[in-house]
Amino acid sequence: MINQETVILVHGLWLHGTVMALMRRRIARCGYQVVSYSYPSMRLTLTENAGRLAQFCRSMDSSRMHFVGHSLGGLVILRMLERAADLDIGRIVLAGPPFVDSFAARRLARLPGGGKALGRSIPEWLESARPSGLERYDIGVIAGDCGIGLGTLIAPDLPRPSDGVVSVAETRLPTARDHIVLNVSHTAMLVSAAVVRQVCTFLHTGAFSRGMKDEGRGMQEDQRQGVKAPERESEAKSSCDSRSSDLTTHACSMSG
């Protein structure tokens, strides 16, 4: 029997699928079958990891697949879409993706041993053209502006607002159906209940939750900065997780 709705979670750099366990359980409560996908984020190139993800998807007993990618995981998903014509792709949520660029990763690459620490996937993304045809997919982007993370240690001048690793501006995907900014750090996205609520809302409806206290603040800021907004955009505030600094210390997620 084929399961109709499966959500595949894809982790970021230096991590393993087990870090998505809490998110997996929470999304499952929204009525989905949820699977955490693990891949060698440093050893293989982005293209190789995207190919492996596509192969994994073809092995799934599911006719329709949604995706949630954290940081580098989101980039792997986007690259995978180029070879997913035979797959029934549902909705996609990217949390903290360095889509435009990665200021922190480029700064790390200049440090002794930094290039090796970045692995092979992130450099390929930074030096290659962005995937084409993304407008065909329902993609939602979650950015953070808590500003606590390893990226601020490596690059104290990381453009603000940021989640501590990826700046909000770096998460802008022109063809995204929706984009929302939460007051959460890069690593805390993995354990944030607010992030999961927005993920489930987007998977159900194709848009993030409206009506939050600070809705509209982000669009006004975009207008002042001359940033072209996606089709629908809002910015919401949740409580900046007080555990963010500890999480960042114990679970590095630099640009991935």
Side-chain angles (χ1 to χ4, degrees):
M1 181 177 178
I2 296 178
N3 295 302
Q4 297 300 311
E5 301 284 336
T6 299
V7 179
I8 299 174
L9 308 182
V10 186
H11 63 82
L13 182 62
W14 303 337
L15 302 177
H16 185 272
T18 54
V19 303
M20 311 289 277
L22 180 58
M23 181 180 286
R24 177 177 56 79
R25 291 195 297 270
R26 285 172 167 169
I27 294 176
R29 292 175 194 150
C30 295
Y32 297 99
Q33 172 180 301
V34 188
V35 178
S36 295
Y37 175 73
S38 292
Y39 65 99
S41 63
M42 292 181 61
R43 180 168 54 85
L44 298 184
T45 66
L46 187 68
T47 298
E48 290 170 335
N49 279 320
R52 285 194 173 195
L53 177 58
Q55 185 177 14
F56 174 79
C57 292
R58 293 186 182 98
S59 72
M60 292 292 296
D61 185 22
S62 177
S63 63
R64 193 159 202 250
M65 288 167 283
H66 306 287
F67 295 86
V68 178
H70 178 244
S71 201
L72 172 60
L75 308 185
V76 173
I77 293 169
L78 295 181
R79 187 65 75 195
M80 182 273 297
L81 294 177
E82 294 181 312
R83 59 192 69 201
D86 61 318
L87 299 174
D88 186 359
I89 303 295
R91 293 188 170 117
I92 301 161
V93 178
L94 311 178
F99 178 83
V100 176
D101 202 350
S102 178
F103 185 91
R106 291 187 186 279
R107 183 63 57 82
L108 177 60
R110 299 180 195 170
L111 301 177
K116 184 176 181 180
L118 284 175
R120 301 175 67 194
S121 287
I122 279 288
E124 179 184 326
W125 177 267
L126 295 179
E127 302 306 323
S128 62
R130 299 299 175 258
S132 60
L134 296 181
E135 67 279 357
R136 298 195 300 267
Y137 301 98
D138 288 337
I139 301 175
V141 179
I142 298 175
D145 66 1
C146 189
I148 300 174
L150 183 61
T152 57
L153 298 178
I154 294 171
D157 52 344
L158 177 68
R160 299 179 183 179
S162 80
D163 61 14
V165 173
V166 179
S167 72
V168 171
E170 290 172 337
T171 68
R172 303 288 183 184
L173 196 163
T175 60
R177 298 288 188 262
D178 207 349
H179 185 284
I180 193 168
V181 182
L182 303 178
N183 192 221
V184 64
S185 73
H186 195 72
T187 304
M189 287 181 180
L190 297 170
V191 296
S192 169
V195 167
V196 170
R197 284 194 295 271
Q198 294 293 351
V199 165
C200 289
T201 297
F202 189 87
L203 294 181
H204 282 310
T205 69
F208 293 119
S209 178
R210 295 306 190 266
M212 292 187 178
K213 182 177 179 181
D214 293 283
E215 181 181 340
R217 180 171 59 85
M219 288 182 284
Q220 294 168 2
E221 181 177 332
D222 282 347
Q223 291 169 359
R224 289 196 301 271
Q225 296 180 1
V227 177
K228 184 178 179 181
E231 290 183 25
R232 296 185 297 268
E233 179 158 5
S234 71
E235 187 159 338
K237 296 288 278 185
S238 61
S239 175
C240 187
D241 197 325
S242 61
R243 298 170 296 172
S244 294
S245 58
D246 290 335
L247 285 165
T248 303
T249 300
H250 296 294
C252 297
S253 186
M254 179 55 167
S255 297

